[in-house]
Amino acid sequence: MRIDVLTLFPEMILQAVGHSMLKRAQEKGLLAIQAHNLRDYTMDRHKVADDVPYGGGAGMVMKAEPILRAVDALRVQAQSCGEEIRVMFPSPQGRTFTQEYAKDVAAEPRRIVVLCGHYEGVDERVREALRPEEVSVGDYILTGGELPALVLIDAATRLVPGVLGDPESVVEESFSDSLLEYPHYTRPAEVRGMGVPDVLLSGHHEAIRLWRRKQALRSTYARRPDLIRDRSLSREDQRLLSEIISEGVVSTPV
């Protein structure tokens, strides 16, 4: 997977992708990330990439020309390698980023270009010229698009085959099966008087599987019942959910 990030603050991207899983993915040759400073695509000697908004108002607006030149340069570069680009733009106006969305990005054969907005926003002519794919990581306000870009990169990269050491980790994680994850425990067996459920110490694989499934359903029903409403349950899941409800577990309105 090849990702180019266009930003006013490339160090934010480079520092984050130089650690943990993202670093290992790059070392394995499974991921290539470049952060491009939009100021390098300005035409004035002061490298101004933002200006005051027409019509007045607080804050600054990112200029269109540096962004358009940067995308043009990356498109030409990609075409020289026989590739196409997919331009993505973190924005509250975009489609909500989900696990299914992450899977789509992870399977993308094109080079991904992520445009990071900042300040009060981006000149609207960027949208008109590029028609970028807008994506939202939630209904809240952030200073810039760098953090959403990193969320997108992290969520998609872990789904690229070979990135995670244990492929089962992807299968069992929250949202991979539209459910929240079951509880995890590790050594020691007792911490400040708190023990580990007996079933996990039993060595009975089928009992452990059922316990984990029930706990995943319990957590989802209690905290994110909308995830259960939006899916079709197997007979086993229906039986386990009936047990959970009969035990008096109350779901929280979302």
Side-chain angles (χ1 to χ4, degrees), residues 121-133:
V122 171
D123 190 305
E124 186 64 21
R125 288 166 291 189
V126 170
R127 283 189 174 90
E128 295 176 8
L130 299 179
R131 301 295 181 188
E133 179 181 333

Side-chain angles (χ1 to χ4, degrees), residues 81-122:
C81 300
E83 300 174 335
E84 297 180 0
I85 64 173
R86 175 180 178 178
V87 182
M88 305 185 72
F89 179 31
S91 161
Q93 301 180 34
R95 171 185 163 196
T96 301
F97 190 61
T98 63
Q99 187 71 6
E100 287 303 315
Y101 204 152
K103 291 178 182 178
D104 177 68
V105 175
E108 177 58 67
R110 293 172 291 180
R111 181 181 301 190
I112 298 169
V113 176
V114 184
L115 167 61
C116 298
H118 217 81
Y119 307 125
E120 290 302 309
V122 171

Side-chain angles (χ1 to χ4, degrees), residues 9-209:
F9 304 96
E11 63 277 6
M12 288 183 65
I13 303 297
L14 296 176
Q15 289 178 10
V17 302
H19 302 276
S20 188
M21 174 201 70
L22 294 175
K23 179 182 180 181
R24 294 195 298 271
Q26 293 173 82
E27 291 173 344
K28 292 180 180 179
L30 300 173
L31 173 68
I33 298 179
Q34 279 193 297
H36 306 268
N37 194 331
L38 284 168
R39 292 184 177 88
D40 294 339
Y41 296 90
T42 58
M43 298 297 287
D44 65 292
R45 64 175 181 170
H46 298 295
K47 297 186 178 297
V48 176
D50 60 287
D51 209 332
V52 295
Y54 279 120
M60 304 291 280
V61 175
M62 290 178 63
K63 297 166 69 71
E65 290 182 347
I67 296 172
L68 298 180
R69 277 195 287 269
V71 173
D72 286 345
L74 290 175
R75 181 175 282 113
V76 169
Q77 185 183 90
Q79 290 175 345
S80 68
C81 300
E83 300 174 335
E84 297 180 0
I85 64 173
R86 175 180 178 178
V87 182
M88 305 185 72
F89 179 31
S91 161
Q93 301 180 34
R95 171 185 163 196
T96 301
F97 190 61
T98 63
Q99 187 71 6
E100 287 303 315
Y101 204 152
K103 291 178 182 178
D104 177 68
V105 175
E108 177 58 67
R110 293 172 291 180
R111 181 181 301 190
I112 298 169
V113 176
V114 184
L115 167 61
C116 298
H118 217 81
Y119 307 125
E120 290 302 309
V122 171
D123 190 305
E124 186 64 21
R125 288 166 291 189
V126 170
R127 283 189 174 90
E128 295 176 8
L130 299 179
R131 301 295 181 188
E133 179 181 333
E134 300 189 46
V135 53
S136 169
V137 296
D139 295 335
Y140 45 85
I141 299 172
L142 294 171
T143 304
E146 288 77 17
L147 293 178
L150 289 169
V151 168
L152 187 155
I153 292 168
D154 188 280
T157 298
R158 65 191 299 106
L159 299 175
V160 174
V163 169
L164 294 182
D166 185 357
E168 289 299 314
S169 296
V170 174
V171 176
E172 295 183 357
E173 288 176 331
S174 294
F175 301 114
S176 61
D177 189 31
S178 299
L179 296 177
L180 300 183
E181 206 169 0
Y182 55 78
H184 296 277
Y185 298 86
T186 189
R187 297 187 180 98
E190 184 174 320
V191 177
R192 299 189 179 186
M194 297 177 288
V196 177
D198 291 338
V199 63
L200 298 180
L201 305 175
S202 68
H204 193 302
H205 297 297
E206 178 61 13
I208 292 173
R209 184 192 69 80

